Amino acid sequence: MKRAAVKIIIVLFIFILPQCHPLKKPVYYEVSQEKFLLKAPVIRVGLTDLPQQIEIESEKGLKIVHKQNGNFVKIRNAEKVKVELRKNGRDEVYFVQLGAFLKRENAEIFLNQFSPLYPFPIKIYQSSQFYQVRVGPFKNRADALEVLKYSIKNGIKDAWILNDILPSEAQDNLIFIDGEEVKMEKGYDIFLLPSRSSELIRINGNLYKGIIEIKNGEEGVKIINILNIEDYLKGVVPLEMNPEQYNEIEALKAQAVAARTFAMRRLKFHEEKDYDICSTPKCQVYRGASFEHPLSNRAVDETRNEVAIWNGEPINALYTGSCGGYTEDVENVFGGESVKYLRGTFCFHSNEESFSSMEWSEEKTKEETIRILKRQFPIEDLIDIYPLRRGVSGRIVEMRVLTSKDYLDLRGFLIKEIFELKDLPQEILKMTNENNEIEKFIFKGRGKGHGVGLCQEGAYLMAKMKRNYKEILLHYYKDIDILNWKEDFK
């Protein structure tokens, strides 16, 4: 049995995982004897929203492989693994973000242009969709504010402050296998497989397909689910587009292709992390096999291997919950360069009643607005806020914040983020007192999300109008091809 287990791991990690490059013809391997099947391409999903106390088990037990510094050191069977993720000391730090770009080469051009201005570290960070150019980190907001002022004076109008949490001195995390504590040094990994290939692994009661990796890297212990990308999608689609609410198969098929394309792009342009994609809304929501639904599973199966392609690469398949009647050009929301396939377009709604149900309104007092702005920008007071520019959808994509001494201009998604709105606003109304002084700002808009790419609500209505999933995708993503990467890319 030990030889068979070793063979499993060698095949998985020497032969299968290197085949994960998207748009490459896959090779399928069935591991002999154990009959554990893992098909390329596989994706490594960081389960980043798990609690501190984790229990991992399978109905008939687990097969556990220990790996240290690239070498397999121990193989054993076990009933249960418990993990206690001790939170490392955490330091809050601040960055000044100078710009965000869809293409790395554009971020590099921007960095090379502006890095001579700064005596501080300036670096490209990759998020789920963008390459962000940031200065920092800084230990306190005051230092970041000074750099922000300097950046704005030097013509970088999209600069703003964001904070992040970085690990400080790492603490030992506790791993118990059947009650026995296992010491995990850096570079030490544990792989967990179900003893029977027909079974799944449970993490705190939720089912997961594939393999679970407990990885102790530079940023501490990570729990990673390694599985076939089609199985991954079956855990994504129902959480991103609820099949009970959006019960039209063609809409779910469009969502499946968008989610697959998003994931395949991450495999091609992955972040410098221990995993390919996270499990939270920052990437795509994923919580394993327990949340699968027959209708969304059917949507994944009926679009197997299909991705949206533009210029020979998987597109940045952004999607949004409800666009309020019209989607927006990507550069107006996220900045950076324009992209041919992410252009604003009209969206479908069933009637005036449903259109009005998309509307929202957020009220903020003047004092509250000042507090919000002070967290990000060097202002002392506030005179007015008013629109400067609207996008093709009617959203306010640029607004001016006027103070007694100066002004600052806010653009795109930053408006939504800073004021914590459901979407970019369509209107900014003001309530004044008897002295005609502004006391309250009222932000009004339609829709929910960021308004770029495929609109899930609009896709559902198009499906009800008997449009198929390819028609839906081609409506929201302009001039793309929908191809089977396995058959059409050799």
Side-chain angles (χ1 to χ4, degrees), residues 446-487:
R446 290 190 298 272
K448 182 180 180 181
H450 49 65
V452 178
L454 181 140
C455 173
Q456 293 170 327
E457 187 168 297
Y460 172 69
L461 293 171
M462 287 185 72
K464 288 178 72 70
M465 297 163 58
K466 307 304 179 185
R467 307 291 180 86
N468 66 44
Y469 73 101
K470 290 187 177 180
E471 291 175 306
I472 294 170
L473 290 166
L474 288 166
H475 175 77
Y476 289 106
Y477 303 124
K478 305 300 183 184
D479 299 321
I480 62 165
D481 294 310
I482 302 167
L483 302 176
N484 184 310
W485 66 266
K486 178 184 173 185
E487 296 176 358

Side-chain angles (χ1 to χ4, degrees), residues 94 96 120 138-148 161:
Y94 301 88
V96 176
F120 307 106
F138 302 98
K139 290 186 177 180
N140 59 71
R141 185 179 293 276
D143 290 343
L145 277 172
E146 290 302 314
V147 174
L148 177 65
I161 292 176

Side-chain angles (χ1 to χ4, degrees), residues 383-449:
I383 303 298
D384 198 2
I385 300 175
Y386 53 88
L388 287 181
R389 185 168 62 89
R390 296 179 182 272
V392 294
S393 65
R395 290 173 172 81
I396 298 171
V397 297
E398 186 173 0
M399 64 171 57
R400 176 156 293 176
V401 176
L402 185 64
T403 72
S404 60
K405 295 181 179 179
D406 205 348
Y407 67 86
L408 61 95
D409 295 339
L410 306 182
R411 294 176 176 81
F413 195 70
L414 183 57
I415 297 170
K416 175 185 184 298
E417 286 290 284
I418 285 180
F419 294 109
E420 298 180 345
L421 305 176
K422 293 182 179 180
D423 199 337
L424 291 178
Q426 303 267 350
E427 297 179 81
I428 306 173
L429 306 178
K430 296 127 186 180
M431 294 184 64
T432 59
N433 59 21
E434 62 273 10
N435 297 320
N436 203 33
E437 297 170 332
I438 295 174
E439 291 190 332
K440 186 180 293 185
F441 294 94
I442 304 171
F443 300 89
K444 303 188 74 172
R446 290 190 298 272
K448 182 180 180 181

Side-chain angles (χ1 to χ4, degrees), residues 105-118:
E105 54 264 34
N106 290 341
E108 289 173 346
I109 291 170
F110 182 91
L111 182 147
N112 292 332
Q113 178 182 354
F114 288 100
S115 59
L117 295 176
Y118 295 92

